[in-house]
Amino acid sequence: MTLRIYNTLTRSKEEFTPLDPKNVRMYVCGPTVYDFAHIGNARPAIVFDVLYRLLRHLYGENHVTYVRNITDVDDKINARALRDYPGVPLNDAIRRVTETTYEQYQKDVTALGCLRPEFQPRATEHIAGMISMIEALIARGHAYQAEGEVLFDVGAMPDYGQLSHRKLDEQVAGARVAVDAHKKNPADFVLWKQSEPHEPGWESPWGRGRPGWHIECSVMSKAHLGEVFDIHGGGLDLIFPHHENELAQSRCAHGTKVMANYWMHNGFLQVEGQKMSKSLGNFVTISELLNTEKFGGRKWPGEVLRLAMLMTNYREPIDFSLARLTEAESKIGTWSEILQNETTKNFVQPPSADVVQALYDDLNTNAALEFISSCETGSRSSAAARAQLGADLGFLGMFPDREVQWFLDLPRFSQDEMQSIRSRVVKEMQANRLGIEIEAITTQIAARLEARKAKNWAESDRIRDELAGMGIAIKDNKDGTTSWEVKR
Ligand code: AMP
Ligand code: ZN
């Protein structure tokens, strides 16, 4: 059996053959550090951590180089710095935003059992490399200057669109040409743009400015992994435009046929069918889930979130729900009970062949977990089987090096509690994003019910309007209760 992975580039499962088995190289796009990571962002961190562990197992711990970057140049970061640190010089404010967010990210992913990549480069440390790559692109006829920007010329790359399988003609047809009059082709994208005096910027041959988003990853991957490497990963949303453009820049700058041989993309974590994202407001941060009682009224251990992710294979969407977390928790509860008198770090043997084989099939974590579950009964009566169970879980990044007793002491929900919490959870997440306390809504609704009982319709309408002004819509139910939801 060999490792096979689904390659977005060819849209097929392929056998994995590294360029150099002594140095298997993987690059994964990491977070833009302007705000705390949400649990959707945790998915690529966890998925590629499992792959990293598998590669280390296959090729040896010292023969894998994993790079996950930190995007610390971005207009969203600037906006956040201005908002959060008024009066502080912009560069200092930016540093504060990126440092706090970066530190939190490290804590978050560590709590989720992710190993540290060999390199976590930051865009701000690679500006000089970006300038030289842009110069190379201009020199090779793949980029041009227009109105204070340096743009990548998609028309000069005959097979632009190979990753997302988009044809350039299709992109042009739908584009708004007038807005982009300075571009040769509406699909041309920014490599460098000039900064206003109050904006962060670096000196360059094209004036004081800052890089576009895509060029960062082309440069950071090259710096640590070379011009061509093995695996490039990230979430589905990155295929276009981010990865398409990274690939275009790197290939055109280096004159290579490929940038990475295998492109892997994890599916979305969804809430009620929609991608969890900052802009939709339907998100919960990793830290909130782990350290506060904002989701379902309680804290959740990192192992639970990790398992909740791995129960579904990485390319499929995950519908995030309380039911999923409790299902994961119950499995972990069973394993904790079996391993309660053991210290998992003592389990040094390699993982079971069945677990490794399951992962060989495009990281079939679900099959690996099914195998692990099938060993539960045996491990209750055999110390050797318990050691294997611990080793298998450890291989998947669970219970890395601690006793499991803590888990058994956690409070649990009854089925009834679960039901009532489940219906609240999503809208509470959304209300939290609007900065509205749930209590403020429920108090208002109670006051309105009182007003209605007293037939004080004016007061009842006033409260309805006030809630509407906050972004909350209410609905009077037949049974006399009133429910609410966040207006979209
Ligand atoms: P960002 O900070 O938004 O650039 O995202 C960091 C990483 O998280 C990227 O690999 C994204 O593709 C991934 N990502 C963002 N939202 C989700 C989601 N809801 N589900 C899965 N992956 C996501
Ligand atoms: Zn990237």
Side-chain angles (χ1 to χ4, degrees), residues 29-32 38 40-41 43-44 234-235 237-238 266-269 275-276:
C29 295
T32 305
H38 60 66
N41 301 133
R43 194 170 186 196
D237 52 338
L238 298 187
N266 64 269
F268 291 140
L269 184 91
K275 176 190 162 194
M276 177 175 281

Side-chain angles (χ1 to χ4, degrees), residues 28-35 37-45 48 71 76 105 213 233-239 242-243 265-271 274-278 282 309 318:
V28 174
C29 295
T32 305
V33 283
Y34 73 100
D35 202 352
H38 60 66
I39 54 177
N41 301 133
R43 194 170 186 196
F48 291 101
T71 297
K76 288 195 281 289
Y105 184 75
W213 172 30
L236 264 187
D237 52 338
L238 298 187
I239 297 177
H242 185 52
H243 286 171
H265 295 97
N266 64 269
F268 291 140
L269 184 91
Q270 304 181 328
V271 182
Q274 278 183 307
K275 176 190 162 194
M276 177 175 281
S277 76
K278 297 262 160 71
N282 59 353
M309 298 269 189
I318 290 184

Side-chain angles (χ1 to χ4, degrees), residues 229-406:
F229 52 95
D230 298 300
I231 300 171
H232 195 317
L236 264 187
D237 52 338
L238 298 187
I239 297 177
F240 188 86
H242 185 52
H243 286 171
E244 191 72 78
N245 293 348
E246 271 187 43
L247 179 155
Q249 295 161 161
S250 293
R251 281 189 45 205
C252 292
H254 307 133
T256 49
K257 280 213 173 71
V258 290
M259 174 188 190
N261 281 329
Y262 304 87
W263 292 76
M264 296 176 72
H265 295 97
N266 64 269
F268 291 140
L269 184 91
Q270 304 181 328
V271 182
E272 292 190 339
Q274 278 183 307
K275 176 190 162 194
M276 177 175 281
S277 76
K278 297 262 160 71
S279 51
L280 289 172
N282 59 353
F283 69 97
V284 56
T285 68
I286 303 172
S287 170
E288 282 168 349
L289 193 82
L290 268 41
N291 308 315
T292 75
E293 296 179 354
K294 274 198 179 162
F295 193 81
R298 52 160 292 193
K299 297 179 184 176
W300 296 89
E303 275 85 353
V304 171
L305 180 57
R306 186 170 177 106
L307 180 62
M309 298 269 189
L310 298 182
M311 281 168 6
T312 298
N313 289 336
Y314 78 96
R315 288 198 289 130
E316 289 163 26
I318 290 184
D319 214 10
F320 187 70
S321 66
L322 197 63
R324 173 178 281 267
L325 284 179
T326 19
E327 188 187 338
E329 184 173 63
S330 134
K331 272 184 205 271
I332 292 194
T334 307
W335 298 330
S336 312
E337 190 208 316
I338 297 172
L339 298 174
Q340 61 184 303
N341 298 318
E342 324 272 350
T343 303
T344 48
K345 71 176 165 208
N346 294 341
F347 301 144
V348 289
Q349 69 262 54
S352 303
D354 291 72
V355 168
V356 177
Q357 280 210 357
L359 299 186
Y360 270 168
D361 180 16
D362 195 30
L363 293 189
N364 191 338
T365 48
N366 198 22
L369 290 166
E370 265 170 28
F371 170 78
I372 293 177
S373 294
S374 74
C375 301
E376 279 163 17
T377 316
S379 55
R380 285 184 195 276
S381 54
S382 144
R386 273 198 296 283
Q388 192 59 58
L389 175 70
D392 288 348
L393 291 173
F395 182 61
L396 290 177
M398 281 177 288
F399 301 126
D401 55 5
R402 48 181 175 172
E403 311 286 342
V404 293
Q405 184 59 45
W406 59 272

Side-chain angles (χ1 to χ4, degrees), residues 17 21 100 122 132 153 288 325 329 359 366 390 449:
T17 315
T100 4
R122 299 172 193 218
S132 12
D153 185 353
E288 282 168 349
L325 284 179
E329 184 173 63
L359 299 186
N366 198 22
L449 282 176

